[in-house]
Amino acid sequence: MTVRSPLTSCNVFLDLLAREAAPVEFEEPVVSARAAGAAPETLAQLEAAKLAALRVSAGMRRQARREAELTALFDLAGDLAALRDLDAILEAVVRRARRLLNADIAYVTLNDDERGETRMRMTDGSISAAFRRLRIPLGDGLGGLVAQTAMPYSTDHYAADPQFRHRAHIDAAVAEEALVSILGVPMRLGSRVIGVLYAANRSERPFAPEKAVLLGSLAAHAALAVDNARLLARTRTALEELDAVNGRIRARGAAIERAAQAHDRMTALVVRGGDAGDVAAVVTEVLGGTLHVLDADGRCLATSGDQVPLAEDEISAVMAVAGAVHNRGGTTRHGDLWISPVATPGEVLGTLVLRTAAELGDADRRILERAALVTALLLLLRSSAAEAEARVQGELLDDLLDGRADGRVDGRADGRADGRADGSAALEARMRRANLEADAPYVVLSARYASPRHRGRAAFWAASHAAAAHGLAAARGEEIVLLLPGDVPGETARRVAKELGAALAAPVTVGAAGPIRDLTRDLTGVPAAHREARRCADTLLALDRLDDGADARELGFVGLLIGTHRDARGFLDSTLGPVLDYDARRGTSLVRTLETYFSSRCGPSRTAERLHVHINTVHQRLHRVSRLLGADWQEPERALEIQLALRLHRLRG
C-alpha cells in the first residue's frame, strides 16, 4: 500500500476545502494513512493538517453564513424602504426573522407608553389566537423585561426561567403556543424602545449569541421602518386634516361669497322697488328648495320653487314657531321647514318658510334672515307708499264726494271770474296724477264690513286695488268708498264683495251706482252716485245679503224707490220691456191680458170672461208672455215686480 507524503496529504485537504466538503470527509486522508501503516510522525502531521483544515472550513462556513445574513439584511432594508403600511412592514420583518434564525415562530410587540404595556402586533408561525392577542405589561414576562430594560434576553426554557416576573395570562398564552426557547431583542430609536422582536422554538434549542446579534440587526432595521411608517401615517393624517380644514375654509368662503352676492341682489331689489316674490326668487336660486312668504295671518303672499302650497297643519305649526322665534330672533328648523320671522321690533309682518331637506349652515341661515329683513323693509316701504298713495287718492275722492275737486266751495270759484275753467284744469291735473281718465266711465261703490278690526286691512286692500285698477279709494268710518273704471256697477260690486271678503276672511256687502260718464263736467254725479250706492248697501244689509253686491237696477222696484234718478222708464224696460215691444210691433193686447189675469187672481177662465175671449186664447197669450219674459214670470217675486211695472205703465198713460 502506498503511503502519501505529507505534502500530498495537505493538497488533499486543500482540495476538500476548495469544494467545500463536509467535515466528515476530512477524516478520510488520516484513516487512509493509518491503514497504510504510515509512520507516527506522518500521522501526527496529517492530524494537525486535518484540524487546521477543519478550522478553515468552519471559518469559511461562518463567513458564508454571515454573507448570507448580510445579504438578507440588505434585502430586508430594500423591502422595508419600499413599504409604507405598518402592518406590511411588521409582516416582512417577522417572516425574514423566522427564516434567518430557522425558528419555529417569530413575532413582534410594540410598546404603548400610555398604557404601560407592549402589545402583540404581528406573528409568523403562530397557532394560538390567545397568543396573537397578548398584551404584556412593561417589566412582566420576557417581552416586558426586554421592553423595560432595552437589553436582549434569551431563555432556554421559558417556563422554568426565574429571571423575569411570570404572569398567569402570559404563561398561559406561551404554553398554548408550546414555546420553550425564546429570544427577544429591543427595537430602539436612540434611547427609546418602541417594541420587541422575538424568535422562539417549540423545543429546547438555545439561540447562539450570533443569532441574537442577527435578530438585533433585524430589530434595528424594523425600528427605523416602523418609525418612518408612523411618521408617514402622521403626515398623511395631518395632510388629510389640513385638506379637510382647507375644504371647510373653501366652503366657508364660498358660503360667505354666496351670502354677499345674495345680499347685494336683495339690496338692489330694495333700490329698484322689488317685492316679496323677487326676494323669494333670490333665496331659492341661492339656497334651493321652495320659499313661501306668509303674511301675519298665515296667508301666502308669494312662493318661489316647486309651487307646492303649505298644508294647513304646516301653516299652523309655522305660525306657532314664528311667534316663539320672533321673541329671540334667528332662524329655527321644523322638520324640513326653515322658519325666519319677517318682523320689526314691535310687530310681526309675516314669515319666510323655506322647505328643503338640506342642512343650512350659519352663512345660509344668515341669508334667510337677511331675506326676512329685506322682506320686512319692502313690506314697510310698500305700506308707506300705499298709505301715501291712499292719502292722495283719498283726498281726491273726498273732494269729489264733497263736490270740491275743482277748487269750488259751495258752487263758487273762490272769487275768480274764470274759476270754472281753472277748476276743471286743476281737476284734470289731479286726475292725471292719480292715473284717472277724465272721459272714461266710472262706478261708485260703498263697501261695508262687519268688524272695526278689519278697518286697517280693508283700507290697505282698497288702496292697492284702486291703484291697480286706476281708480280711487277712501276710508270713511266703517265704510270703504271706491271709484273704479267701468260701466256695469252691479257686476263690479259683486266682484269687490268677493275679493275684499276673501282678503278680510269676513263677509263684505257692496252697493253700487253709476256709471258717471265725465267726472270733470258732472261734479254732482259722484256725490249723488255715492248716496245711491250707500242706499243700495243699506238695502242689501236690511235684506241680510251680507256677502253680496248690487246696484239699484238689480234691486228691481226697491231700486226704483232708492235710486237717485227714479228711472221709471228703465224699470219698465227691464221688467216688462219685451211685452211692451211685442204689443207695439204686433198690435196685440198682451199687457191688457196680463193686467186682467192678475186682477182675476191669476185665473184663466175668469180672465177669458172679463176679456170676452175664448179660454184657449188666454192660454195662448200667457204662453207668449212666458216666451217673452221667461218661464218664471209667475214666481212670487217676479210676479210682484211685473204687477208694479203694469201699474206704473198705466199711471204713465
Side-chain angles (χ1 to χ4, degrees):
M1 181 177 296
T2 303
V3 179
R4 295 175 180 171
S5 67
L7 182 58
T8 302
S9 299
C10 290
N11 291 337
V12 171
F13 287 122
L14 291 176
D15 291 338
L16 292 173
L17 289 172
R19 60 185 181 87
E20 299 180 355
V24 69
E25 295 185 53
F26 284 84
E27 296 291 339
E28 193 276 331
V30 178
V31 172
S32 298
R34 188 177 291 113
E41 294 82 358
T42 300
L43 292 174
Q45 291 176 353
L46 287 173
E47 189 68 30
K50 179 196 75 172
L51 293 175
L54 287 172
R55 287 194 297 273
V56 172
S57 177
M60 292 174 62
R61 286 197 299 274
R62 285 194 301 272
Q63 185 64 30
R65 186 168 61 250
R66 183 60 178 167
E67 290 178 357
E69 292 172 351
L70 290 175
T71 301
L73 287 175
F74 289 142
D75 292 342
L76 176 64
D79 293 344
L80 296 181
L83 296 175
R84 297 292 182 268
D85 181 68
L86 180 60
D87 288 340
I89 290 172
L90 296 177
E91 183 180 5
V93 168
V94 296
R95 186 184 302 115
R96 194 67 58 91
R98 182 185 178 194
R99 186 168 68 249
L100 287 178
L101 272 69
N102 193 28
D104 294 330
I105 179 176
Y107 53 97
V108 63
T109 61
L110 295 182
N111 289 3
D112 187 341
D113 295 332
E114 292 183 0
R115 293 178 177 269
E117 64 184 18
T118 183
R119 182 169 63 90
M120 189 73 69
R121 280 300 306 269
M122 190 63 64
T123 65
D124 187 61
S126 174
I127 59 175
S128 169
F131 186 79
R132 291 192 293 271
R133 295 192 301 268
L134 192 60
R135 293 175 179 268
I136 305 171
L138 297 180
D140 292 344
L142 185 148
L145 178 64
V146 174
Q148 187 178 53
T149 63
M151 297 294 293
Y153 189 83
S154 177
T155 179
D156 298 341
H157 200 289
Y158 178 87
D161 195 330
Q163 298 300 316
F164 47 81
R165 288 196 300 268
H166 288 264
R167 296 293 185 188
H169 73 285
I170 302 174
D171 291 350
V174 171
E176 186 174 323
E177 194 66 61
L179 300 182
V180 178
S181 300
I182 302 176
L183 169 63
V185 296
M187 298 168 58
R188 299 199 302 183
L189 288 172
S191 60
R192 184 167 64 92
V193 177
I194 65 170
V196 180
L197 179 61
Y198 307 82
N201 292 315
R202 295 188 173 90
S203 61
E204 195 169 338
R205 287 188 292 148
F207 290 94
E210 58 269 21
K211 298 295 185 182
V213 173
L214 176 59
L215 191 62
S217 298
L218 288 173
H221 284 82
L224 290 174
V226 167
D227 188 54
N228 289 336
R230 286 176 169 174
L231 288 174
L232 182 61
R234 286 196 291 270
T235 302
R236 187 181 296 114
T237 301
L239 290 175
E240 291 173 353
E241 292 176 352
L242 182 60
D243 185 64
V245 171
N246 285 335
R248 289 194 294 271
I249 292 174
R250 287 193 298 271
R252 178 69 175 174
I256 293 174
E257 178 65 21
R258 189 167 62 249
Q261 292 177 356
H263 176 70
D264 292 342
R265 293 178 60 183
M266 287 187 282
T267 302
L269 288 178
V270 176
V271 173
R272 71 169 185 261
D275 58 18
D278 297 325
V279 176
V282 171
V283 173
T284 53
E285 183 177 339
V286 174
L287 301 181
T290 302
L291 185 72
H292 302 276
V293 183
L294 307 181
D295 66 8
D297 293 324
R299 288 187 292 269
C300 187
L301 299 177
T303 300
S304 178
D306 58 15
Q307 304 298 318
V308 177
L310 292 170
E312 289 295 333
D313 57 337
E314 289 180 320
I315 293 177
S316 300
V318 164
M319 299 308 293
V321 172
V325 173
H326 173 247
N327 295 329
R328 67 173 186 271
T331 299
T332 190
R333 186 173 191 175
H334 181 76
D336 63 345
L337 302 178
W338 294 87
I339 302 167
S340 185
V342 178
T344 62
E347 181 184 7
V348 176
L349 304 176
T351 309
L352 296 189
V353 184
L354 177 66
R355 186 191 297 277
T356 177
E359 183 71 27
L360 296 186
D362 291 340
D364 292 339
R365 293 190 187 193
R366 298 292 87 77
I367 291 175
L368 188 59
E369 291 165 9
R370 187 172 291 114
L373 181 62
V374 171
T375 302
L377 179 58
L378 290 175
L379 292 178
L380 290 175
L381 290 175
R382 176 185 171 190
S383 177
S384 299
E387 289 177 1
E389 187 172 359
R391 283 195 298 272
V392 174
Q393 292 181 352
E395 290 172 358
L396 176 55
L397 184 54
D398 284 337
D399 288 346
L400 287 171
L401 292 173
D402 296 337
R404 295 184 287 107
D406 65 343
R408 292 171 173 262
V409 179
D410 296 330
R412 298 188 305 274
D414 292 340
R416 293 191 298 269
D418 59 345
R420 177 66 182 175
D422 290 345
S424 298
L427 175 58
E428 290 179 2
R430 293 181 68 184
M431 290 177 62
R432 283 195 300 271
R433 287 195 294 271
N435 293 319
L436 270 66
E437 298 180 12
D439 56 350
Y442 285 86
V443 297
V444 177
L445 307 178
S446 174
R448 312 288 180 83
Y449 46 87
S451 175
R453 65 187 177 89
H454 295 315
R455 182 180 301 152
R457 181 170 296 158
F460 178 78
W461 182 92
S464 301
H465 184 78
H470 301 296
L472 299 176
R476 291 193 161 195
E478 305 303 323
E479 176 194 21
I480 296 294
V481 182
L482 292 162
L483 179 70
L484 299 178
D487 55 5
V488 188
E491 180 180 327
T492 306
R494 284 185 290 276
R495 175 169 52 81
V496 169
K498 180 180 178 181
E499 295 179 4
L500 180 54
L504 301 182
V508 173
T509 305
V510 181
I516 304 169
R517 299 295 177 180
D518 191 335
L519 293 176
T520 60
R521 295 183 180 277
D522 186 10
L523 293 180
T524 62
V526 175
H530 176 227
R531 289 191 294 271
E532 181 176 327
R534 284 178 58 87
R535 288 194 294 270
C536 287
D538 291 339
T539 302
L540 291 173
L541 291 172
L543 296 174
D544 287 333
R545 292 168 61 177
L546 302 182
D547 197 9
D548 199 0
D551 61 11
R553 296 180 186 86
E554 295 172 336
L555 292 176
F557 73 92
V558 176
L560 179 63
L561 296 176
I562 66 175
T564 299
H565 300 291
R566 304 292 194 269
D567 187 6
R569 179 74 255 177
F571 176 69
L572 282 174
D573 289 342
S574 63
T575 307
L576 206 58
V579 175
L580 295 173
D581 291 343
Y582 191 86
D583 277 353
R585 291 196 314 270
R586 302 293 182 91
T588 56
S589 301
L590 295 182
V591 171
R592 183 184 174 198
T593 301
L594 281 174
E595 289 179 335
T596 306
Y597 178 71
F598 282 119
S599 65
S600 301
R601 298 183 180 180
C602 301
S605 298
R606 180 64 178 159
T607 303
E609 291 177 2
R610 295 180 63 180
L611 291 175
H612 306 290
V613 297
H614 194 275
I615 190 172
N616 288 341
T617 302
V618 173
H619 282 301
Q620 291 173 358
R621 291 178 180 179
L622 295 179
H623 179 69
R624 174 62 61 184
V625 170
S626 296
R627 294 183 61 182
L628 292 172
L629 299 183
D632 64 340
W633 68 272
Q634 296 191 68
E635 295 294 328
E637 184 176 346
R638 287 285 311 276
L640 176 60
E641 291 198 354
I642 291 172
Q643 291 180 65
L644 289 172
L646 290 170
R647 179 68 59 86
L648 180 62
H649 176 64
R650 186 167 62 252
L651 292 174
R652 285 170 59 88

